[in-house]
Amino acid sequence: MLLSLLPSFDQTNQSRQHGLHTMGWSDLPGDLISGIADRITEHADLARFRSVCPSWRSASEAHAARRRVPLLLLPTQGYSRVNRRLWSLADDSVAEIPVPAARGRSFLFASPRGWTLGVANDLAATLLHPFTGALESLPALPPSFHDDNQRILRDTVWDRSPDAVVVSSGKGAFFCRLLPGDGRSWSPVAGCSQAADRVSSITYCDDGTFYLLDKRAGKVTAVDGATFAVVAAIEPPDLTMPNSWLVPESTLVASSAELLLIVRTQLVDRGYFDSKRVLKVYRADAQSLAAGWSEVAGDMGDRAVFVDHLRGFCVEANGVNGVRRNCVYVASSHEMVNDDYGLDVWGRYTVSVLDLADLTTQDLSLGNLLDCMCGRFWQWPSWCMPNLTDPN
């Protein structure tokens, strides 16, 4: 459709020979470009559309702003399938996108940078980008990532920098360099013991630091992204639980300027009513980690935090993308048994949004998301941002 609006190559040459003005890609009217952008439904198509030239990118900015909403990657029921499912927070739609590199990868772990870690039952690992088709080969994960029930694989956490990947099975951490000539292999992170250090979340920050979090203890370990040595440790903030059955769980959000630690409670015994729920937000200066945490007064401003079992990250609540400001969106899953013998086990996915202003919670696990299930060994869903302009 777009090509029909432009002059052909022969027409352009003839016009130049006669000294006539020719129409180029950047000469199309802005309202026409905007109207076409509004009709594009696929993220990859929109990214290609906006990369044509600066004028197209500018004219389609409003449409792109409406699309800056995380998508939830849902584990598939058929690991040999090419298509994988994405749930949209914006309209409760479930779309299937072709990801040929994911075939045979039983476990997929998404990230806000667009990259996804795919792992097979034999620990073969691949970095893949569902929206661009880009691939990065990885060596098989260390044997410590496996157990008889695949429970370790399900709880694997990871993140990447432009130059390396860091992964953990829950104890200690391993890194693999991605630069050419480095000879890709997994090496333990120095100073992060597999025997003692619990790792339940890994977050890479653009300042070159990987942050490893123990969610239950609230302890954060900073790892240099070049040397892969521990450079700092932040002890958890002082927090007293009002009742013994309330268990704190932390989520870390990292940026080059600050770290946010969101501490919330969940019930060990869900038969009790959570009448004394605790939720605190703490801040640490990324340039002065030794100063520790200070509690955040007021709210987080015009942003929301999206949380899954891997990590937390911030998204701008820009007024047009439907994201609620000062809220936490939590994606999880739970096991369901459909028979009397415990043999027919399924996983269902849940998304809830917690308003930090009044601590009210809204369940978003309705409609199409409610109909999605995962068979065999239930897995965690994970948030991804359809980032197509910066594959790293």
Side-chain angles (χ1 to χ4, degrees):
M1 179 178 66
L2 293 178
L3 293 178
S4 66
L5 298 174
L6 299 175
S8 68
F9 180 77
D10 290 339
Q11 290 173 328
T12 300
N13 282 341
Q14 293 174 8
S15 298
R16 285 175 177 170
Q17 293 172 1
H18 291 84
L20 300 177
H21 173 72
T22 60
M23 175 181 287
W25 292 102
S26 60
D27 296 320
L28 292 176
D31 56 348
L32 174 61
I33 298 301
S34 178
I36 294 173
D38 284 339
R39 294 175 178 268
I40 298 177
T41 58
E42 299 297 329
H43 290 278
D45 290 342
L46 179 62
R48 298 186 188 100
F49 182 87
R50 300 189 72 226
S51 67
V52 170
C53 62
S55 63
W56 284 35
R57 187 172 186 84
S58 176
S60 59
E61 176 58 34
H63 181 75
R66 292 192 293 272
R67 299 291 293 276
R68 293 193 189 111
V69 183
L71 303 172
L72 192 64
L73 176 63
L74 304 177
T76 183
Q77 296 185 48
Y79 307 131
S80 62
R81 297 178 59 190
V82 170
N83 290 349
R84 298 305 168 103
R85 297 176 298 175
L86 291 169
W87 176 76
S88 171
L89 171 68
D91 57 7
D92 184 41
S93 63
V94 177
E96 291 197 356
I97 61 171
V99 189
R103 186 194 296 270
R105 296 303 189 247
S106 306
F107 297 84
L108 295 180
F109 309 96
S111 77
R113 290 181 174 83
W115 285 98
T116 293
L117 173 65
V119 183
N121 293 333
D122 61 359
L123 301 182
T126 306
L127 280 180
L128 53 97
H129 201 296
F131 306 103
T132 66
L135 291 174
E136 287 272 9
S137 61
L138 293 174
L141 296 181
S144 59
F145 280 70
H146 221 313
D147 68 1
D148 293 338
N149 296 318
Q150 300 177 334
R151 199 175 304 276
I152 291 178
L153 274 179
R154 185 189 70 182
D155 295 334
T156 295
V157 293
W158 78 288
D159 208 350
R160 70 160 294 171
S161 69
D163 303 329
V165 176
V166 176
V167 298
S168 176
S169 62
K171 291 290 188 70
F174 294 84
F175 71 91
C176 175
R177 299 184 187 275
L178 299 177
L179 294 177
D182 278 338
R184 297 185 178 182
S185 62
W186 295 108
S187 302
V189 173
C192 188
S193 169
Q194 296 183 56
D197 293 314
R198 292 175 55 87
V199 179
S200 46
S201 175
I202 299 175
T203 303
Y204 174 71
C205 183
D206 291 336
D207 66 359
T209 305
F210 285 92
Y211 292 97
L212 282 53
L213 170 69
D214 181 343
K215 292 183 180 180
R216 289 296 175 90
K219 181 180 178 180
V220 177
T221 302
V223 176
D224 186 280
T227 64
F228 294 97
V230 173
V231 294
I234 315 175
E235 294 301 320
D238 292 332
L239 183 64
T240 302
M241 293 293 102
N243 291 310
S244 60
W245 60 78
L246 291 172
V247 178
E249 183 171 302
S250 304
T251 298
L252 180 69
V253 180
S255 71
S256 57
E258 66 177 4
L259 305 182
L260 292 178
L261 189 70
I262 301 173
V263 183
R264 56 194 175 92
T265 55
Q266 62 181 11
L267 285 173
V268 175
D269 185 345
R270 296 188 179 275
Y272 289 93
F273 176 66
D274 190 358
S275 60
K276 295 185 178 181
R277 176 166 44 194
V278 174
L279 190 141
K280 301 281 188 179
V281 180
Y282 298 90
R283 179 188 181 276
D285 188 335
Q287 306 305 317
S288 181
L289 297 178
W293 301 103
S294 58
E295 189 170 350
V296 175
D299 61 28
M300 298 189 302
D302 292 331
R303 55 183 174 174
V305 173
F306 282 75
V307 176
D308 53 32
H309 90 287
L310 293 165
R311 66 182 66 81
F313 61 95
C314 279
V315 173
E316 178 191 12
N318 58 27
V320 294
N321 61 0
V323 174
R324 292 166 52 181
R325 66 178 302 277
N326 196 38
C327 288
V328 179
Y329 290 81
V330 181
S332 188
S333 60
H334 62 275
E335 186 177 275
M336 289 188 63
V337 179
N338 292 342
D339 62 15
D340 295 332
Y341 303 99
L343 300 178
D344 188 13
V345 179
W346 297 81
R348 280 199 181 276
Y349 310 112
T350 62
V351 175
S352 57
V353 55
L354 172 64
D355 193 317
L356 298 182
D358 55 13
L359 299 186
T360 57
T361 301
Q362 179 183 359
D363 182 13
L364 303 182
S365 309
L366 306 172
N368 290 322
L369 184 60
L370 186 64
D371 295 333
C372 293
M373 294 192 298
C374 175
R376 196 182 175 192
F377 190 83
W378 65 281
Q379 301 177 33
W380 304 108
S382 48
W383 293 110
C384 63
M385 286 294 287
N387 184 346
L388 300 116
T389 57
D390 181 10
N392 291 329

